[in-house]
Amino acid sequence: MNNGRGKSNLGILKVIMLSLVFFFAAMLVLTQLVRIDTSQFIDISEKIHTVVVRPDGTRELYLPGDSYTIEKGDHFIMSILTDEDEYLPDGSLVFNMYNSIIKVYSGTELLYEQDTSDLKEGQMLGDLRYSIPLPHNYNHHEIKIEGDLISNSPFGKPASLMILPHDKTMQMALANNEFIFYSFNTLIVVSILFGFFFLILSIQDHRIHAGLWVSITSVIMCTWYLGYKTMLYIISDWTEFNAVVEYMAIFAINIPLSFFMHTQFSRPLYKRISLILGFLYLIFFVIATALNYSSSPIQYCDLLLYSHIFTGSGLLLYIIGLYTDDTTEKRFDFRVLRFGVSMSLVIGASAFVLFNLSIDAQNALKVAQFNYVPLAILILIISLYISVLTSYAQETITTMEAERLAKLAYMDSLTGAPNRSALYESFAMMEAKNLTDYVMVFMDINELKKTNDVYGHEMGDNLIILVSTAILQVFPQSETTGFVGRWGGDEFVACVFGSKETADEYISAFHKKLEKFNGEKLLPFPARVSVGTSISTSEAPKDPAKAITESDSAMYVDKAEIKKRLSETAAMQKLA
């Protein structure tokens, strides 16, 4: 494996590990912040005797433990007789029912009657949570729930019926579901954070990042399941939202998922199909929502079967695409996505299919309580995040590598200064901006050949590096002040935007920096540099090529003068 590939895989692995650590750390923190004691929760679900009166007058009796459903138009009476050990002072009866109008009695005493004054004809109530305070002597009387199912619902029997302390009625859904509550809420928090991150990336890149679609999908999917399990009542008492959110989420979840799949496929056909599906799901969601909240008798629950069919069809098309889009076969993120979608489809879709194909209501209820659905959701969400994060990591690493190579193409490997190619780019920039007021400074290291011959080429390299360091530390390097670079061998160029006086100040500072380095004895001999300049003004402009030629010639004049001064100094020392 080459070094570049190894670094890429290492970077991807780090992203995956950090993401998983972040997820579990967030879940641990949430677990510590939200601790719920369920020791006082009394489950009386298995003590319900139910009489269902069908619209044709048929009466059906169901004993505790029987599975059954209540359908639109049915009248039901649920009776519960509690034991002494099921008495809880200041207790409340807590349960959830779909689309039902109910009354609750303790013996003959009416404890609760649902307000229907604002109820519109055919309105879908959704999954409502009821919390009815019980009298102190409730264990001496029969508790009775009487009601009517007013809208279509696949089942109406409460999934759980519990007695809780008054101050913990919001927490009923947590009984035996603590892990699901913590993990799904953590996923929502993590997804929101990732969503903001990918939103910023989308704004910066002027395109919607795939991670943003994954974040939205994750939030909707987790919200749906928390709504389905009535766990949103733990977080909020916004009944109108909590009662219908699972329906809204079922119809909305396919929208961001389809747009995400559009970003993953390489074949144009699959990209078009997923994009079209995304817009079709959006239209279906808008129509279903409009019908549900209009005077139409058609509601969310009436369209659930169609939603399941559309969802299954879309997932099937995605599976076909994931296994036949061979242009992405070697992509690790694509293989992870294929595994996650396949596994979640096998686990989750089977529950939906069995639910809709159940031959009777009892089997439908059992399938609806299928315990592996959260596993399917977790597998799908985690695979989506691993896929999009590894893809983003690979994209980032590739971009960084390209930037590094591009930088190396314009950088001198010995000194780290811009090379001649970078100087040519700067000259082109000057001509494009029509910059005329500048001073071109040409610098040449004196006696580099002698240094190489006497001290060796390594010492010669050290001399070049020292001079380059002084140049980089002194001369300006920005789009508004100037630039520097190594012209080649022992020659350097600096271009100072502005007047001759400004350039002279930089040249003087450069010589002082060089004298400072010489005083520190960084080399066994003093470093000397010859300098030549060429001045360009708006009155007498010069193109950079001409300025380079003139400053190079001026540098040789300076070199001759330096050599002459050194010779005269040596002669005087000899006479002395």
Side-chain angles (χ1 to χ4, degrees):
M1 179 181 292
N2 60 51
N3 188 50
R5 176 66 61 82
K7 288 184 178 179
S8 296
N9 289 342
L10 180 61
I12 291 173
L13 181 61
K14 286 181 179 179
V15 170
I16 295 173
M17 295 304 295
L18 287 174
S19 301
L20 292 176
V21 169
F22 182 62
F23 170 75
F24 286 113
M27 188 170 68
L28 181 62
V29 170
L30 190 61
T31 302
Q32 295 300 318
L33 291 176
V34 188
R35 285 184 172 275
I36 297 177
D37 179 17
T38 60
S39 60
Q40 290 184 295
F41 291 13
I42 301 174
D43 190 349
I44 55 175
S45 303
E46 298 304 319
K47 305 193 71 173
I48 304 175
H49 291 74
T50 306
V51 175
V52 179
V53 183
R54 306 296 181 185
D56 61 2
T58 304
R59 298 176 65 90
E60 300 174 4
L61 173 64
Y62 296 97
L63 300 176
D66 289 347
S67 294
Y68 60 93
T69 65
I70 305 171
E71 299 173 348
K72 182 179 180 180
D74 291 345
H75 179 77
F76 57 88
I77 304 170
M78 300 178 183
S79 303
I80 309 103
L81 188 61
T82 59
D83 299 328
E84 289 295 331
D85 58 353
E86 293 170 332
Y87 175 74
L88 187 67
D90 298 323
S92 290
L93 182 67
V94 184
F95 59 96
N96 284 69
M97 289 284 290
Y98 277 90
N99 302 319
S100 299
I101 298 176
I102 68 166
K103 298 178 181 179
V104 179
Y105 297 87
S106 175
T108 58
E109 179 186 358
L110 178 64
L111 302 180
Y112 172 83
E113 181 174 7
Q114 191 163 340
D115 182 12
T116 60
S117 58
D118 296 329
L119 186 64
K120 299 177 182 178
E121 184 178 355
Q123 178 180 341
M124 190 189 77
L125 296 175
D127 187 12
L128 292 176
R129 180 184 62 88
Y130 299 92
S131 177
I132 296 99
L134 293 172
H136 291 292
N137 62 343
Y138 73 83
N139 59 319
H140 296 147
H141 302 282
E142 181 182 60
I143 298 174
K144 186 168 63 175
I145 302 172
E146 185 175 345
D148 299 278
L149 199 67
I150 63 170
S151 298
N152 287 327
S153 178
F155 51 89
K157 175 187 176 182
S160 60
L161 189 69
M162 307 187 80
I163 299 175
L164 279 70
H166 287 329
D167 58 347
K168 293 185 177 182
T169 57
M170 299 281 288
Q171 303 169 4
M172 181 193 73
L174 270 188
N176 304 316
N177 288 304
E178 292 87 352
F179 175 77
I180 292 175
F181 176 76
Y182 294 136
S183 59
F184 276 61
N185 275 286
T186 301
L187 270 177
I188 290 177
V189 174
V190 171
S191 297
I192 291 174
L193 294 177
F194 273 126
F196 279 113
F197 171 71
F198 286 117
L199 177 61
I200 293 172
L201 286 182
S202 299
I203 295 173
Q204 292 176 344
D205 297 341
H206 303 289
R207 63 181 178 88
I208 300 179
H209 199 283
L212 185 59
W213 295 125
V214 170
S215 300
I216 296 173
T217 301
S218 178
V219 170
I220 295 176
M221 195 173 293
C222 291
T223 302
W224 165 74
Y225 195 73
L226 289 176
Y228 165 67
K229 298 294 287 184
T230 69
M231 292 183 182
L232 291 178
Y233 286 101
I234 302 172
I235 304 170
S236 168
D237 58 358
W238 186 11
T239 302
E240 293 80 4
F241 174 77
N242 295 341
V244 299
V245 65
E246 65 175 287
Y247 290 101
M248 297 179 69
I250 285 177
F251 287 90
I253 196 169
N254 298 297
I255 302 171
L257 183 59
S258 298
F259 290 138
F260 167 72
M261 296 303 299
H262 169 73
T263 66
Q264 299 303 294
F265 289 126
S266 295
R267 285 190 177 183
L269 175 62
Y270 296 146
K271 292 181 75 69
R272 284 196 298 271
I273 290 175
S274 55
L275 186 62
I276 292 172
L277 281 175
F279 283 109
L280 288 177
Y281 286 134
L282 177 61
I283 293 171
F284 183 56
F285 170 75
V286 171
I287 292 175
T289 303
L291 290 173
N292 184 77
Y293 287 100
S294 69
S295 57
S296 169
I298 301 176
Q299 301 166 343
Y300 279 136
C301 53
D302 298 309
L303 300 172
L304 274 180
L305 177 60
Y306 300 103
S307 176
H308 293 167
I309 293 174
F310 291 160
T311 299
S313 301
L315 288 175
L316 183 60
L317 288 172
Y318 298 149
I319 289 292
I320 294 173
L322 289 170
Y323 279 94
T324 58
D325 192 353
D326 51 6
T327 57
T328 51
E329 179 66 28
K330 295 181 179 180
R331 280 171 41 189
F332 172 74
D333 61 297
F334 204 75
R335 294 198 300 270
V336 170
L337 180 62
R338 185 167 59 190
F339 169 80
V341 173
S342 300
M343 289 297 295
S344 60
L345 181 65
V346 170
I347 298 173
S350 59
F352 285 119
V353 171
L354 291 173
F355 175 84
N356 288 293
L357 295 181
S358 298
I359 60 175
D360 57 48
Q362 294 185 7
N363 288 330
L365 183 60
K366 293 178 180 178
V367 173
Q369 297 171 347
F370 188 55
N371 291 326
Y372 293 103
V373 171
L375 176 61
I377 294 174
L378 288 174
I379 289 176
L380 179 59
I381 291 176
I382 291 174
S383 66
L384 288 176
Y385 271 120
I386 291 178
S387 174
V388 76
L389 289 175
T390 51
S391 176
Y392 172 71
Q394 185 64 61
E395 180 183 330
T396 302
I397 292 169
T398 301
T399 302
M400 292 174 62
E401 184 67 13
E403 291 175 351
R404 187 184 71 84
L405 293 175
K407 186 177 181 180
L408 288 176
Y410 292 97
M411 179 186 293
D412 176 59
S413 59
L414 176 63
T415 63
N419 58 17
R420 185 180 289 204
S421 296
L423 288 171
Y424 284 140
E425 290 287 327
S426 298
F427 295 159
M429 177 271 294
M430 292 173 61
E431 293 179 332
K433 293 185 176 181
N434 196 27
L435 293 176
T436 55
D437 293 297
Y438 66 87
V439 177
M440 194 70 72
V441 183
F442 202 98
M443 293 164 279
D444 182 272
I445 302 174
N446 295 333
E447 299 183 339
L448 177 61
K449 183 178 183 303
K450 182 179 179 180
T451 300
N452 289 330
D453 293 341
V454 176
Y455 296 98
H457 286 277
E458 183 177 352
M459 186 60 70
D461 288 345
N462 290 337
L463 174 59
I464 294 173
I465 293 172
L466 183 139
V467 172
S468 174
T469 301
I471 292 172
L472 292 172
Q473 289 183 1
V474 171
F475 284 96
Q477 301 166 65
S478 74
E479 291 186 359
T480 58
T481 57
F483 54 87
V484 300
R486 186 181 180 188
W487 189 250
D490 55 359
E491 298 172 333
F492 290 84
V493 169
C495 184
V496 179
F497 301 156
S499 65
K500 179 180 182 301
E501 289 74 19
T502 302
D504 287 342
E505 291 177 2
Y506 283 116
I507 293 171
S508 175
F510 166 67
H511 284 304
K512 289 180 181 179
K513 177 68 70 172
L514 214 55
E515 290 174 4
K516 179 177 180 295
F517 286 164
N518 290 335
E520 294 172 355
K521 304 294 182 181
L522 299 176
L523 299 174
F525 51 84
R528 294 186 176 89
V529 177
S530 299
V531 179
T533 61
S534 176
I535 303 171
S536 173
T537 64
S538 55
E539 292 79 15
K542 299 174 183 177
D543 62 73
K546 183 178 181 182
I548 284 287
T549 301
E550 290 185 357
S551 60
D552 184 23
S553 299
M555 178 273 296
Y556 277 108
V557 174
D558 186 52
K559 184 182 285 288
E561 291 179 356
I562 291 175
K563 187 174 182 180
K564 181 180 178 181
R565 286 197 304 268
L566 290 175
S567 297
E568 291 175 351
T569 302
M572 291 180 65
Q573 289 176 348
K574 197 179 268 190
L575 290 174

